[in-house]
Amino acid sequence: MKRFLFILALAFIAASCGSGKQEEAKVITVSILPQKTFVQKIVGDDFSVNVLIPPGGSPATYTLLPSQLKDIAKSAVWFRIGYIAFEHSWKDKIGQANTKMKVVNMAEGLDLIADQMEQHGDHVHIDGVDPHVWLSPVMVKQMGKVILDEVSKLNPEKADEYKANYEKFANECDELDAELRSKLEPYKGRKFIVFHPSLSYYSREFGLEQYSLETGGKEPTPQHMKEVVDLANEDNIRVIYIQSEFDKDHARVFAEEINGKVLQVWPLSPDWAENLRSMTDLLIENF
């Protein structure tokens, strides 16, 4: 039934686009909430920003609703965050909903964390990429430049304004990076445990060591659970952090094993800078 509704919605959009002149697109589509913040920092209210994964949705499992196609059909560009499972699963259907929409991978050119990177002729084959690039201020500054280049093409009359906005945002990223670096300097090398490995780039930037209960997107095996429990006991770690959109059952079992507690974090918060500050304070408080 869901598939039928999706096909029906695609047909309706195709028919609409074919009748008469299509209105100039003033919509930008992004995959996750933090991207909306980044785009708005640069364009202000000049474009409507359509977010594909709503609050509470998981980038690993979210299913696109047929009703979301109308905003995709009006979009000039889709800024992909890069390697989240949702984008891989839905990229073809999203492309069919708007064949004129430009698709931009914001992770391109970034220093990615991956299971495997191999040079194949004139390109690099990457496998098992960690997608959580938006949790590094350094990388967000780079992604902001990608946004700037694209929106300046869409609205060249305001390119100078967008450039000034980007420079202000880039300074904010630099200041945030320096602030977090200063706060975490005394804790370099400290270990922490998460259910889902969402803080890999954050950990790399600030010299922390992240250990994850979940591996390869799968629930922990009894053997892996024991290994992480042993690590926690050895290093006197009494907290496991979990994202708000994940089931907490395994995290609760783990917390009981280490005589500790489960704390919730929200890497997908649209209040990006304040969220990074809050997560940093939460980590420091529990080291």
Side-chain angles (χ1 to χ4, degrees), residues 9 12-13 27 50 65-75 97:
F12 174 76
I13 289 162
V27 179
N50 171 44
L65 301 174
S67 59
Q68 291 181 279
L69 291 173
K70 67 181 189 305
D71 289 321
I72 294 170
K74 290 185 257 178
S75 295

Side-chain angles (χ1 to χ4, degrees), residues 118-125:
E118 294 179 359
Q119 187 74 37
H120 284 193
D122 61 350
H123 68 281
V124 177
H125 176 75

Side-chain angles (χ1 to χ4, degrees), residues 147-159:
I147 295 168
L148 170 65
D149 291 344
E150 294 301 328
V151 297
S152 296
K153 293 172 193 171
L154 292 174
N155 195 6
E157 296 83 4
K158 298 194 75 173

Side-chain angles (χ1 to χ4, degrees), residues 38-54:
F38 308 152
V39 170
Q40 289 179 329
K41 284 280 186 180
I42 296 168
V43 303
D45 297 325
D46 286 354
F47 290 83
S48 173
V49 184
N50 171 44
V51 184
L52 295 179
I53 303 172

Side-chain angles (χ1 to χ4, degrees), residues 148-190:
L148 170 65
D149 291 344
E150 294 301 328
V151 297
S152 296
K153 293 172 193 171
L154 292 174
N155 195 6
E157 296 83 4
K158 298 194 75 173
D160 290 342
E161 182 180 323
Y162 296 155
K163 185 179 179 183
N165 290 344
Y166 165 71
E167 288 171 355
K168 182 180 176 184
F169 180 48
N171 287 335
E172 290 174 10
C173 292
D174 289 340
E175 289 168 5
L176 178 63
D177 180 71
E179 177 188 335
L180 301 186
R181 213 168 279 280
S182 175
K183 280 185 175 182
L184 290 166
E185 179 65 31
Y187 303 95
K188 272 196 172 177
R190 293 295 287 268

Side-chain angles (χ1 to χ4, degrees), residues 11 42 51 76 85 93 107 164 166 169 194 199 215 230 261 279 287:
I42 296 168
V51 184
K93 284 189 173 67
Y166 165 71
F169 180 48
V194 294
L199 297 177
T215 55
D230 290 345
K261 58 185 176 181
M279 285 200 301
F287 276 147

